[in-house]
């Protein structure tokens, strides 16, 4: 993964957890690009978040972010001329785009109506939602094969090793 995407994905996930507390279900997919409400990098970076439940327990979120070809705004693809985030394009707070496996067509239509490339973006949105489904399926395969305890322990070990390696590298800087 691209490090700035990996690090920045935690902010939209936290925003979804806060806004939708108690209303997160299997099959949901959330979306945002909002820099102030969800910590997105900037408006052309759309983030799609899928909660992953295993045996009715929310264990993970899979997060897919991409830089979209158009986000509305005053001029196509010219974000640096915008004087504020409204001029930059469509501001999307954390929303539930897919609820229990069903896409909310009204929300999608609103988003696409504010886009210069609606047909392309419809396909882009579909592929991004699909990518979160692939991640969910693969995590389920791991959980079924090795069990929750082993998968979580493996993730914990990877995080410890990564922290150790990063700290060792940073210590060389001085």
């Amino acid at each position: 993964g691209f490090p700035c995407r990996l690090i920045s994905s935690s902010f939209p996930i936290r925003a979804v957890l806060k806004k939708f507390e108690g209303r997160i279900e299997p099959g949901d997919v959330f979306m945002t690009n909002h820099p102030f409400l969800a910590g997105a990098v900037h408006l052309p970076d759309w983030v799609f978040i899928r909660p992953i439940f295993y045996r009715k327990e929310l264990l993970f979120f899979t997060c897919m972010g991409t830089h979209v070809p158009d986000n509305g705004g005053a001029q196509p693809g010219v974000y640096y001329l915008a004087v504020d985030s409204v001029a930059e394009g469509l501001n999307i707070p954390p929303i539930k785009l897919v609820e229990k496996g069903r896409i909310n067509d009204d929300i999608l239509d609103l988003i696409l109506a504010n886009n210069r490339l609606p047909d392309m973006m419809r396909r882009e949105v579909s592929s991004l939602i699909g990518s979160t489904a692939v991640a969910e399926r693969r995590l389920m395969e791991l959980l079924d094969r090795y069990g929750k305890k082993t998968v979580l322990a493996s993730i914990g070990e990877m995080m410890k090793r990564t922290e150790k390696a990063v700290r060792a590298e940073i210590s060389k800087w001085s």
Side-chain angles (χ1 to χ4, degrees), residues 6-113:
L6 292 172
I7 294 166
S8 66
S9 66
S10 65
F11 298 109
I13 291 170
R14 285 188 202 129
V16 164
L17 280 167
K18 182 178 178 183
K19 181 176 179 180
F20 293 95
E21 183 178 3
R23 299 180 293 137
I24 299 173
E25 302 289 335
D28 289 349
V29 179
F30 303 89
M31 175 189 178
T32 188
N33 72 342
H34 208 287
F36 305 112
L37 298 177
V41 178
H42 68 148
L43 296 183
D45 287 328
W46 290 14
V47 179
F48 293 77
I49 301 160
R50 178 185 294 265
I52 299 178
F53 288 80
Y54 185 67
R55 297 186 177 155
K56 299 182 180 182
E57 180 184 5
L58 177 58
L59 287 183
F60 303 105
F61 285 91
T62 183
C63 186
M64 178 60 185
T66 191
H67 194 107
V68 297
D70 185 60
N71 189 57
Q75 298 181 33
V78 186
Y79 309 109
Y80 59 87
L81 294 177
V83 296
D84 59 23
S85 66
V86 173
E88 189 177 341
L90 185 62
N91 286 259
I92 305 167
I95 59 170
K96 190 183 287 193
L97 183 59
V98 179
E99 186 164 5
K100 297 180 183 175
R102 293 190 52 119
I103 194 157
N104 185 324
D105 289 319
D106 291 336
I107 292 175
L108 183 59
D109 289 346
L110 175 66
I111 292 168
L112 296 177

